[in-house]
Amino acid sequence: MAGFTVFRDETTVDFTDADYFALVGPTGSGKSTVLDAICFALYGTVPRWGGTRGIGNALAPSATEARVRLVFESAGARYVATRVVRRDGRGNVKTAGAGLQLMPPGFDVTRLDTGMSLEDLGDVLAGTPAEMDEAVVSAVGLPYEQFTSCVVLPQGQFADFLHAKPATRQQILVNLLGLHVYEEVQTRASARASKAENQLQIVDQNLDALADASDEAVEQAADRLAAMRELTAAVEQAVPRLREVRDKETELAAARDAIAQELAALSGVRTPSGSAQVAQAAAAARTGAEAASAAVRSAEEREEKVRGELAAAGDAGSLGLMLDRHIEFDRLTGQAEWFQGEVSVAEVEYKDAVSAAELAQHAHLGAEQLLEQARLDYSEAQTVDRAIALRAHLTAGHDCPVCAQPVTTVPAMPEGSAVQAAERQGKAARAAADVAAKAWKQRDAVARELERGLDRKRAQFEHHKSRLAEVKAALADSPGQDALKAQLAELTRLQRKLDDAGAEVRTAREAQRRAQRAVAVAEDQQRTAWRSFDTVRDAVARFGPPPADRDDLAGAWTALVGWAQESARQRETARAEAAAAVETAAGQTRQARAEVLTLFTDAGLDAPSGNADADLIRAAAVAAERAEGAWQRLHERQQQAQAYAEQRADLVRTHRVAKSLSGHLRANNFERWLLEEALDLLVSGASRILRELTGEQYELMHDKGEFYVIDQHDAGLRRGVRTLSGGETFQASLALALALSEQLAGMSTTAASLESIVLDEGFGTLDSGTLDVVAATLENLAARGDRMVGVVTHVHALAERVPVRFEVHKDARTAHVERVGL
């Protein structure tokens, strides 16, 4: 491992000949990380990462690359799996390399640390992450879920299978045995059957909708098409005669309408009301505007006079400022004594706080000295306890393993632990030091805060005295408050007078604006009246009206109206003659149109409603197109019906096969039978192993999906697994795990060679009696000699009973692993 989580520096862990071993070390030192590296090298993920998306957890903090290489044996063959993870410049973490090689027989694994390339390791079975998935399953014989349930059991999941509910346990078996493939086949078959059934309903509906597409209907549609084509030819021959008589009628009607339009235009010439008053209103508005302008000039002269008087009386702002300084001087004089008292009180409080902080600091230094002495005592106690621990391995008459001198007498084991006593003294010293430090920090903070308050009040007092001197200097030339108030009162009177004059100016200007608007309105009305006259005259200009006098609006209207009335009487006679000619031409048009409409009724169609000649031809063409479309649709529907009939036969066959397969593979039939058989084999094997582990005391059975333990030392009492003690639960869980690993080798779709089991359990919550049962169980399991057994623990008493220990510890940079024992 290099750059892998806590293993920043390159670290090698050699499990050769470690048939029974323990990974030990403090919490967080990296014990479980060794197992994580095994899982990651094989499957590219770790149980506690929550899936392959947690690949970023593989990198050590601030590292840009992590490398893991695992050498393992499976079914007599030796393999090497390698994975490399890198972080790019944008912070994304991806797998940069992955490979699996089959190593040649007799290969010296120590050569792996000499910088060899992947090609030198043997036959390449996989060279990419995608190829690794299939190659690892083929080599190990187990997919990821089965591997973490039978070989490397993650922390906290050891007893999950034993205590799981029946439904949950059934789902675990489905996942482990790969039975979900049958469920997927059944689901797909059921979906295919439902889809075929739905499609059959749609096809039947479509066939019902196409029932009218018979051979007889298609023949009738063809005859109808021929008749409509004959109608179209006859209409196209008759329409030119109709168009000729209609054009003549249209020409006569246009002449009649032109006379009528001229008559209407002449009849609309009338004198509008109020034309004479428009000019009078404009003259009156101009006179009012001149009077308003004179009033504005008079008001502006009076305002300018008052403004001059106000300017000569002085500046109100300067006088007001001088008066405010008199008021400020009185206020500052009264506050001087109060500020001086505040500074005196703050000085006394600060001195008291400084004294208290110094006393707390002395107490803190004394507590730290006591804590340091407690640390020295703790180190000495550790040395004493280590020496005492060696006595358990000494035998009178044998050589000491440390000094190699004969042991004459083994000293007695003292009661109690010097480390525990030193640890209690150290905790007490630490608590006292923490209290003293907290008190010193609090009193020091109070003193600093009071010092800042004293500085702030002194600054405020100095600022107050400076401001008092400034105000006093500014009042040296002041005439006094009474004189200032008199001058301000005179300025206020003149300002009110100026405001009144300004109001008069604004009133006069508003009156002027109203008068000017009245002039504009009157002139606009006069222009509008002439525009109305010009509009009426322009409308009849083509008839030659008399010229207009632009200085006399009323006279111009009188001349125009008289001329229009005379011209209208002349056009009344011409309109009557034109109307008679139009009526004669209309009769001829109606007769020609009736002849054409007869062609439609003879063909069995309704007469077209449109009056245009093109509508008749279009109606015949549309009838022919509809007949052709009806024939074409019937012909296409007939072909569709034939295609649907063939499709229906295929769907019936598909539905029959899919429905039959779905019924055979339902969960309550085939899969349930498989699960029951698998559970029977699993419990039988686990019961056999449990008897071996417990000296024939316990057996395992199941009833309706629930697990029970039979206690042969208690007259065959059946007990629920949730009533077992911690040690009994461990034994039953271990038996299930071992049986599960054995059964998977026979029931899984791949051939698995299960020669190892590693339990990542802390065992820290077990009492001494239960811990002894667990240790004895593991020793019995290792003594069977059929597999490598490993545990991960931080419990010292359990680790001491394991012959081979891999001690994991971590410094400020990286974690280290050291092998201890045989």
Side-chain angles (χ1 to χ4, degrees):
M1 299 170 290
F4 185 74
T5 66
V6 297
F7 291 96
R8 180 187 299 274
D9 294 340
E10 183 171 313
T11 304
T12 300
V13 183
D14 187 358
F15 293 100
T16 303
D17 298 328
D19 294 332
Y20 181 29
F21 68 88
L23 284 165
V24 299
T27 300
S29 61
K31 303 184 299 298
S32 297
T33 303
V34 177
L35 303 187
D36 292 345
I38 295 175
C39 291
F40 179 70
L42 292 174
Y43 300 100
T45 186
V46 172
R48 55 180 175 173
W49 288 358
T52 56
R53 292 186 178 180
I55 192 173
N57 297 314
L59 288 172
S62 73
T64 59
E65 180 182 271
R67 292 180 287 107
V68 179
R69 175 178 291 162
L70 173 68
V71 180
F72 65 96
E73 289 184 357
S74 178
R78 178 169 292 184
Y79 303 86
V80 56
T82 306
R83 286 188 189 265
V84 180
V85 174
R86 292 193 181 98
R87 179 185 287 112
D88 59 22
R90 294 180 294 181
N92 299 321
V93 179
K94 297 180 180 179
T95 299
L100 180 68
Q101 285 80 29
L102 175 62
M103 303 175 67
F107 183 86
D108 184 6
V109 294
T110 60
R111 294 175 57 194
L112 293 174
D113 297 326
T114 62
M116 298 177 58
S117 63
L118 296 179
E119 290 75 9
D120 298 332
L121 298 181
D123 296 337
V124 177
L125 304 180
T128 65
E131 296 174 351
M132 282 283 286
D133 296 339
E134 183 177 353
V136 168
V137 172
S138 177
V140 178
L142 295 173
Y144 171 71
E145 293 79 5
Q146 296 180 8
F147 184 82
T148 55
S149 298
C150 303
V151 179
V152 175
L153 280 69
Q155 186 173 359
Q157 301 179 18
F158 183 57
D160 285 357
F161 190 78
L162 179 68
H163 292 153
K165 295 181 179 179
T168 304
R169 190 181 300 116
Q170 176 176 318
Q171 189 59 44
I172 293 174
L173 283 175
V174 168
N175 294 335
L176 292 177
L177 299 177
L179 300 184
H180 56 79
V181 66
Y182 300 109
E183 181 180 350
E184 184 177 355
V185 172
Q186 192 276 335
T187 300
R188 292 188 180 183
S190 178
R192 183 173 295 181
S194 299
K195 181 180 179 181
E197 184 176 2
N198 295 333
Q199 290 177 336
L200 274 173
Q201 294 178 358
I202 296 173
V203 169
D204 289 340
Q205 293 174 358
N206 292 334
L207 286 173
D208 293 340
L210 296 173
D212 60 331
S214 62
D215 294 340
E216 181 180 357
V218 173
E219 184 178 356
Q220 292 176 355
D223 295 340
R224 178 68 174 174
L225 174 59
M228 293 302 101
R229 288 175 176 172
E230 293 177 357
L231 171 65
T232 302
V235 171
E236 289 177 350
Q237 292 178 357
V239 164
R241 164 63 181 160
L242 175 61
R243 185 179 294 116
E244 180 180 350
V245 296
R246 189 185 298 279
D247 290 344
K248 182 177 180 182
E249 178 189 1
T250 301
E251 181 181 352
L252 294 173
R256 179 202 59 193
D257 294 341
I259 297 173
Q261 290 176 358
E262 293 177 0
L263 182 59
L266 293 170
S267 299
V269 178
R270 295 184 180 85
T271 304
S273 60
S275 298
Q277 289 79 14
V278 171
Q280 297 175 359
R286 293 189 190 96
T287 302
E290 292 175 357
S293 297
V296 169
R297 289 193 295 272
S298 177
E300 289 176 345
E301 292 174 357
R302 289 194 296 273
E303 181 188 26
E304 189 62 29
K305 180 180 179 181
V306 175
R307 193 181 303 277
E309 294 176 357
L310 181 62
D315 182 14
S318 300
L319 296 176
L321 179 61
M322 187 66 72
L323 186 59
D324 290 341
R325 287 181 175 173
H326 275 287
I327 297 173
E328 183 182 6
F329 180 78
D330 294 341
R331 179 178 58 80
L332 292 174
T333 302
Q335 292 177 345
E337 184 176 354
W338 180 82
F339 274 109
Q340 186 174 5
E342 285 292 310
V343 171
S344 300
V345 171
E347 289 175 345
V348 173
E349 292 177 347
Y350 170 67
K351 291 178 181 178
D352 294 342
V354 169
S355 299
E358 291 176 350
L359 292 175
Q361 184 179 14
H362 293 321
H364 168 63
L365 293 175
E368 287 293 331
Q369 293 174 355
L370 293 176
L371 177 59
E372 183 60 29
Q373 182 61 41
R375 290 194 183 100
L376 297 175
D377 294 342
Y378 182 78
S379 299
E380 295 177 358
Q382 285 181 319
T383 303
V384 172
D385 278 4
R386 290 193 190 98
I388 293 173
L390 291 175
R391 299 179 184 179
H393 303 282
L394 299 179
T395 304
H398 290 73
D399 291 342
C400 174
V402 178
C403 63
Q405 299 296 323
V407 178
T408 57
T409 304
V410 178
M413 297 291 289
E415 296 183 358
S417 172
V419 171
Q420 294 179 351
E423 185 176 0
R424 288 192 296 271
Q425 293 176 359
K427 290 182 178 179
R430 166 55 63 188
D434 291 342
V435 171
K438 183 177 180 182
W440 174 49
K441 291 179 180 178
Q442 290 178 346
R443 293 180 181 178
D444 183 67
V446 170
R448 294 179 183 276
E449 182 62 27
L450 290 174
E451 182 180 12
R452 287 192 293 271
L454 176 60
D455 292 341
R456 185 172 58 255
K457 290 180 179 180
R458 286 173 175 171
Q460 290 175 348
F461 185 35
E462 291 299 326
H463 176 72
H464 180 271
K465 292 191 293 183
S466 175
R467 181 58 184 167
L468 180 62
E470 291 177 2
V471 174
K472 184 176 181 181
L475 295 176
D477 298 331
S478 174
Q481 293 189 38
D482 294 337
L484 292 173
K485 291 179 180 179
Q487 292 178 11
L488 285 172
E490 177 62 19
L491 285 173
T492 302
R493 184 187 67 78
L494 291 174
Q495 183 62 49
R496 285 197 297 270
K497 186 176 180 181
L498 178 60
D499 293 342
D500 294 340
E504 292 178 1
V505 171
R506 289 191 294 273
T507 302
R509 288 176 179 170
E510 180 60 29
Q512 182 186 29
R513 284 192 291 271
R514 287 196 299 271
Q516 290 173 346
R517 285 196 296 271
V519 171
V521 169
E523 291 179 348
D524 184 64
Q525 290 177 349
Q526 190 174 27
R527 286 191 295 271
T528 300
W530 275 110
R531 282 197 297 271
S532 298
F533 174 81
D534 292 339
T535 300
V536 174
R537 189 179 186 281
D538 291 343
V540 295
R542 63 184 183 280
F543 307 137
D549 184 2
R550 305 302 294 184
D551 295 330
D552 186 2
L553 180 61
W557 272 111
T558 301
L560 182 62
V561 170
W563 168 82
Q565 290 174 351
E566 178 60 27
S567 298
R569 284 192 293 269
Q570 296 175 359
R571 284 169 173 75
E572 284 286 353
T573 302
R575 185 177 63 176
E577 295 173 354
V582 170
E583 184 61 30
T584 301
Q588 296 174 352
T589 302
R590 286 192 294 272
Q591 182 179 357
R593 179 177 176 77
E595 294 174 357
V596 177
L597 295 179
T598 301
L599 296 174
F600 284 92
T601 57
D602 292 344
L605 296 176
D606 294 334
S609 58
N611 293 324
D613 297 340
D615 292 339
L616 298 174
I617 298 176
R618 187 181 302 108
V622 168
E625 291 177 359
R626 289 177 178 173
E628 183 176 5
W631 173 82
Q632 185 67 34
R633 285 192 297 273
L634 281 174
H635 181 66
E636 292 175 354
R637 287 163 65 83
Q638 188 180 41
Q639 294 178 339
Q640 290 177 359
Q642 295 173 356
Y644 280 130
E646 296 175 357
Q647 183 181 359
R648 188 180 189 283
D650 293 338
L651 289 173
V652 168
R653 289 192 295 272
T654 301
H655 177 263
R656 185 182 299 113
V657 172
K659 184 177 181 180
S660 177
L661 180 59
S662 175
H664 288 313
L665 296 181
R666 284 198 183 94
N668 56 358
N669 293 329
F670 183 73
E671 184 176 300
R672 183 177 64 182
W673 174 80
L674 278 180
L675 289 173
E676 290 176 353
E677 289 296 315
L679 190 59
D680 288 342
L681 291 174
L682 174 64
V683 172
S684 176
S687 183
R688 173 179 53 79
I689 296 172
L690 185 60
R691 288 196 301 271
E692 296 177 5
L693 296 177
T694 61
E696 302 296 330
Q697 178 178 359
Y698 293 120
E699 294 182 0
L700 191 67
M701 65 166 293
H702 76 97
D703 185 12
K704 297 180 181 179
E706 294 290 347
F707 284 154
Y708 297 92
V709 170
I710 306 301
D711 189 349
Q712 300 297 350
H713 291 185
D714 194 5
L717 176 65
R718 189 173 81 168
R719 297 168 55 190
V721 293
R722 297 188 181 277
T723 66
L724 300 179
S725 66
E728 294 168 338
T729 298
F730 179 83
Q731 291 175 326
S733 300
L734 179 59
L736 270 175
L738 295 174
L740 188 62
S741 65
E742 292 177 354
Q743 298 302 328
L744 281 177
M747 293 186 293
S748 180
T749 57
T750 58
S753 176
L754 305 178
E755 304 170 4
S756 305
I757 184 169
V758 183
L759 310 179
D760 188 0
E761 283 290 324
F763 307 106
T765 59
L766 303 180
D767 55 32
S768 58
T770 303
L771 189 62
D772 186 66
V773 172
V774 170
T777 301
L778 292 173
E779 291 168 353
N780 292 337
L781 176 61
R784 294 169 57 180
D786 59 349
R787 72 186 66 213
M788 173 190 287
V789 179
V791 294
V792 178
T793 182
H794 57 269
V795 177
H796 183 73
L798 176 61
E800 288 295 332
R801 299 178 61 168
V802 180
V804 179
R805 297 184 301 279
F806 293 92
E807 296 182 352
V808 184
H809 60 278
K810 185 173 66 172
D811 55 27
R813 173 174 174 79
T814 185
H816 305 274
V817 181
E818 181 180 0
R819 178 167 175 164
V820 178
L822 299 178

